[in-house]
Amino acid sequence: MRAASGIRPLGLDTMVRLQRGRRGAGTPVRLPVPEGMTAPLGCDAVAVPALLAQQVLPRLPRVGCVYADETHWWWIVPSDSDYALEWPAPARYATGAVVPGATDVPGLLHRSDGTVPYTPPIPLYLALCRLTNTTPTWSRTVSAQAQ
């Protein structure tokens, strides 16, 4: 499609890429959804220290997109995968798939086989609980306290 001036208008994808390229100081770095994939449930991320992440990988039945920097692996999960869960330390939950303190996007270590970038959050959560010797949230004892 051409505008009346004969100049082709920019598509949304192109404008988003240009905006990301203009990232200034203090602008949050978000993990991108790889081209050709969709994220119908939104994106959050779970950061896992690299040494622990290497132990998590073989315990998962399916792996989505995973990004890595020198110290952490970032697993893409659907938005709100922290609802009613306390992700075990040293894992960190990142709403909006924002990489805190980063100046560059971590590199893509693993790409999902499908068209969505997600690692299923419950198997990821359970693998992290097992490796960190943490009782899953739903298995913890709940005590009634007098008010």
Side-chain angles (χ1 to χ4, degrees), residues 14-28 103:
T14 302
M15 292 189 314
V16 168
R17 274 194 294 269
L18 289 172
Q19 182 62 29
R20 287 180 181 157
R22 295 182 58 221
R23 191 179 336 275
T27 302
T103 54

Side-chain angles (χ1 to χ4, degrees), residues 58-129:
R59 295 172 182 261
L60 297 174
R62 195 173 90 234
V63 179
C65 292
V66 181
Y67 291 83
D69 59 23
E70 299 80 31
T71 59
H72 289 87
W73 289 15
W74 299 85
W75 308 81
I76 299 291
V77 295
S79 291
D80 300 324
S81 292
D82 63 336
Y83 181 76
L85 292 179
E86 293 175 31
W87 287 81
R92 291 179 292 152
Y93 192 84
T95 303
V98 173
V99 182
T103 54
D104 293 317
V105 174
L108 183 62
L109 178 70
H110 182 271
R111 182 184 167 107
S112 175
D113 292 333
T115 59
V116 294
Y118 308 125
T119 294
I122 298 302
L124 177 60
Y125 175 79
L126 290 173
L128 286 166
C129 284

Side-chain angles (χ1 to χ4, degrees), residues 2 7-8 19 23 28 37 73 96 105 114 128 132 140 144:
R2 295 213 181 261
I7 299 172
R8 200 169 128 203
Q19 182 62 29
R23 191 179 336 275
M37 292 188 154
W73 289 15
V105 174
L128 286 166
T132 60
R140 295 182 191 154

